[in-house]
Amino acid sequence: GENVEQHPSTLSVQEGDSAVIKCTYSDSASNYFPWYKQELGKRPQLIIDIRSNVGEKKDQRIAVTLNKTAKHFSLHITETQPEDSAVYFCAATTGGSYNTNAGKSTFGDGTTLTVKP
Amino acid sequence: DGGITQSPKYLFRKEGQNVTLSCEQNLNHDAMYWYRQDPGQGLRLIYYSQIVNDFQKGDIAEGYSVSREKKESFPLTVTSAQKNPTAFYLCASSPGWRAGEETQYFGPGTRLLVL
């Protein structure tokens, strides 16, 4: 099955600095890679995603890059703000046909980001 | 997100008791999922359903059961066989399982505690 590794587990930055979180995956059948932000006690919220036919995607201060060959993808947050403090999860989702693992997501263990004012 | 509801918010289980967690969505999504989250850890897939009347085991299905009799509902039963059920349980749904349909949206979660 799919295995997703996420690093670092904790990350502390000064307000205004950039933050980078990296994930690797093992299954070449994975073709969709979402990133979620989870605040304490709350549900995960999708912040950005990328598909395997795209190398990079940007949405304001957030960007994601994907290297299919190396099987790794990264989240980049620029100009960090205290409200960016949360746990961030990457996931790899399997493609395929009905009654296989299609649509099944495997999550990383999360990165706790702290942005110091 | 507002279209996915979970109840109750907190649930207490006694030894040897089965409990059922509710998950309902009004988004007309085909696919639904159940995850377990332990403190400081990621989400682990318990069961998922690509379409109504069908479901598959995830990575940690032992001690759990589900049904998918209606498109909008995917209840999870935590059985007495699950020896360590204390966790935060998250339900999610996605438009489907095909490419372009896989984005999952989460409910608010149910926190299960053992008495």
Side-chain angles (χ1 to χ4, degrees):
Chain A
E2 176 65 276
N3 181 49
V4 175
E5 294 190 359
Q6 183 172 346
H7 299 281
S9 57
T10 60
L11 180 59
S12 181
V13 300
Q14 287 294 133
E15 183 177 359
D17 287 350
S18 295
V20 180
I21 303 170
K22 300 181 179 181
C23 289
T24 61
Y25 63 99
S26 60
D27 190 350
S28 56
S30 291
N31 58 10
Y32 173 67
F33 306 91
W35 285 88
Y36 290 86
K37 175 183 180 181
Q38 187 179 29
E39 297 176 347
L40 192 62
K42 301 290 182 63
R43 74 186 85 188
Q45 301 264 14
L46 179 75
I47 56 171
I48 197 167
D49 56 13
I50 192 167
R51 302 189 184 279
S52 59
N53 59 347
V54 175
E56 183 173 357
K57 183 177 179 181
K58 190 173 181 180
D59 182 4
Q60 299 182 350
R61 297 185 297 109
I62 295 174
V64 57
T65 58
L66 170 66
N67 183 327
K68 263 197 324 182
T69 304
K71 294 193 179 70
H72 67 72
F73 55 113
S74 300
L75 177 71
H76 304 254
I77 305 174
T78 59
E79 301 171 21
T80 53
Q81 302 166 2
E83 49 266 39
D84 293 329
S85 297
V87 180
Y88 290 82
F89 293 98
C90 64
T93 304
T94 307
S97 57
Y98 174 68
N99 214 25
T100 64
N101 289 332
K104 178 185 175 185
S105 292
T106 302
F107 284 76
D109 285 340
T111 296
T112 301
L113 173 64
T114 303
V115 181
K116 300 176 183 176
Chain B
D1 289 359
I4 304 174
T5 58
Q6 290 185 242
S7 62
K9 187 173 181 179
Y10 295 96
L11 185 59
F12 299 91
R13 194 191 89 164
K14 296 179 181 178
E15 288 289 332
Q17 187 181 41
N18 292 354
V19 293
T20 297
L21 285 62
S22 169
C23 177
E24 304 276 331
Q25 53 97 2
N26 62 2
L27 301 170
N28 200 34
H29 286 175
D30 279 328
M32 298 186 74
Y33 312 81
W34 272 107
Y35 293 92
R36 169 179 172 143
Q37 186 175 32
D38 292 286
Q41 295 190 29
L43 285 67
R44 291 184 290 167
L45 184 65
I46 305 172
Y47 269 97
Y48 63 109
S49 169
Q50 292 172 317
I51 200 163
V52 64
N53 292 322
D54 197 10
F55 52 83
Q56 291 86 36
K57 291 182 179 180
D59 299 317
I60 56 164
E62 187 175 349
Y64 301 97
S65 65
V66 294
S67 62
R68 186 84 190 278
E69 297 174 1
K70 296 189 294 183
K71 186 176 185 178
E72 59 270 22
S73 179
F74 191 38
L76 173 74
T77 296
V78 184
T79 74
S80 57
Q82 173 49 243
K83 297 306 179 187
N84 185 23
T86 297
F88 188 45
Y89 289 86
L90 287 157
C91 178
S93 69
S94 66
W97 48 269
R98 298 176 180 84
E101 300 177 341
E102 332 90 313
T103 302
Q104 295 182 27
Y105 301 93
F106 287 85
T110 291
R111 199 165 296 278
L112 177 60
L113 301 167
V114 177
L115 294 176

